Amino acid sequence: MTHAISVDDVSFAYDDQPVLRDVTLSIDEGEFLGLIGPNGSGKTTLLKIMLGLRSPDTGRAELFGTPAKEFSDGTRLGYVSQHATDAEEMMPVTVREVVRMGRFPHAGIGRLSDDDRTKVDEALETVEITDLADRRLNHLSGGQRQRTYIARALASEADLLALDEPTVGVDADSVEAFYELLEALNARGITIVLIEHDIATVADHASTMACLDCELYEHCETREFLESDALERAFSSARLVGSTELAAGD
Ligand code: ADP
């Protein structure tokens, strides 16, 4: 079977600071992976390497069987990054205009057919933001913006969604609804890789979990993960509890 993502023996350092060490994991098509780990443990860096946005110092990353850096079919990928840095957020674009961008690689900029417009409408409907279509993106709440980016990925017909802490600053009710949306998309066959700090929430929805702290501690079915000692091992690092306790625990 072709994996959606495959990372083999990847190591990475920013200047002299090692961030990832010998990380190997494969994500199956259709998997819903929750990636957790302490702050600064390399999760965002690993996600960027998986998507070909960064090159590892050593090791290999593949997307759908192609070296991630050479993967050219951007329509298959939807990346919702942690910080709202997208240029659209600074510009007075509407939700519908952002979602329409998902069709541009298929249709050409400004050349959408009736079929393209239908796909845009369907994407808005799927993430339940049809009523926001004419609102400006920079007037929306964090949760509504995340839905807009997911709708853009759906319009683009992405089959892999990568989300980096998408619910930071989103209220509890909206978080639950957001995860239910992700589960519904996953049930349609979309592979999901999600970085999340709230372990309980991700454990309620993800099919598999992995824990990272420079090294990968575990990657398995969610139930098995929760029964393992991966969390204890990853979160008892020297940075969190002090080197004396780590030494005592070794
Ligand atoms: P996480 O997503 O788990 O919080 P990151 O991958 O964002 O971790 O960061 C891992 C480490 O690398 C952190 O110590 C962070 O400060 C550092 N780091 C992240 N991005 C950069 C960068 N562009 N330049 C230098 N250091 C960075």
Side-chain angles (χ1 to χ4, degrees):
M1 190 214 290
T2 307
H3 297 295
I5 291 175
S6 175
V7 168
D8 193 19
D9 228 3
V10 157
S11 295
F12 182 85
Y14 289 108
D15 302 319
D16 288 336
Q17 184 201 357
V19 171
L20 298 171
R21 185 163 52 236
D22 301 334
V23 174
T24 296
L25 92 158
S26 299
I27 300 170
D28 289 339
E29 291 191 39
E31 189 169 330
F32 182 165
L33 170 68
L35 178 62
I36 60 168
N39 275 338
S41 59
K43 302 181 295 298
T44 300
T45 305
L46 179 60
L47 194 64
K48 287 183 176 171
I49 289 173
M50 287 172 169
L51 298 175
L53 301 172
R54 269 194 186 280
S55 297
D57 295 336
T58 57
R60 286 180 304 132
E62 289 187 349
L63 274 169
F64 299 104
T66 300
K69 271 279 178 186
E70 292 165 26
F71 189 78
S72 55
D73 189 357
T75 63
R76 295 187 71 181
L77 312 176
Y79 176 42
V80 181
S81 65
Q82 191 175 7
H83 301 290
T85 51
D86 277 3
E88 301 100 74
E89 300 212 3
M90 313 301 292
M91 299 189 298
V93 287
T94 65
V95 167
R96 185 185 298 281
E97 284 165 342
V98 173
V99 178
R100 281 162 55 98
M101 290 173 195
R103 292 306 304 163
F104 289 169
H106 297 275
I109 295 175
R111 299 162 58 107
L112 302 197
S113 65
D114 287 347
D115 186 43
D116 293 313
R117 288 175 214 284
T118 303
K119 288 200 162 76
V120 169
D121 288 341
E122 284 170 356
L124 288 164
E125 210 172 302
T126 302
V127 306
E128 297 176 359
I129 54 169
T130 303
D131 55 333
L132 302 176
D134 297 320
R135 297 264 297 274
R136 283 193 185 176
L137 188 70
N138 54 11
H139 291 175
L140 301 186
S141 70
Q144 292 166 334
R145 256 186 295 209
Q146 301 291 30
R147 282 175 183 262
T148 304
Y149 291 127
I150 291 178
R152 181 176 61 183
L154 294 179
S156 157
E157 298 177 273
D159 48 15
L160 171 64
L161 275 181
L163 305 109
D164 194 344
E165 301 217 35
T167 57
V168 167
V170 176
D171 68 89
D173 285 349
S174 305
V175 168
E176 191 52 33
F178 185 79
Y179 268 91
E180 282 168 16
L181 166 66
L182 293 183
E183 272 201 67
L185 297 178
N186 182 239
R188 281 167 45 168
I190 296 179
T191 307
I192 296 179
V193 186
L194 172 105
I195 294 175
E196 175 60 85
H197 64 283
D198 181 345
I199 297 167
T201 301
V202 76
D204 273 348
H205 299 277
S207 60
T208 59
M209 290 179 71
C211 190
L212 185 75
D213 189 10
C214 193
E215 295 171 40
L216 191 76
Y217 282 79
E218 193 79 67
H219 172 211
C220 56
E221 301 279 323
T222 298
R223 185 182 300 173
E224 195 187 325
F225 181 90
L226 295 175
E227 287 167 359
S228 77
D229 62 357
L231 285 176
E232 209 178 311
R233 285 187 290 133
F235 281 84
S236 66
S237 70
R239 278 184 292 140
L240 292 170
V241 296
S243 52
T244 321
E245 283 178 62
L246 180 68
D250 274 347

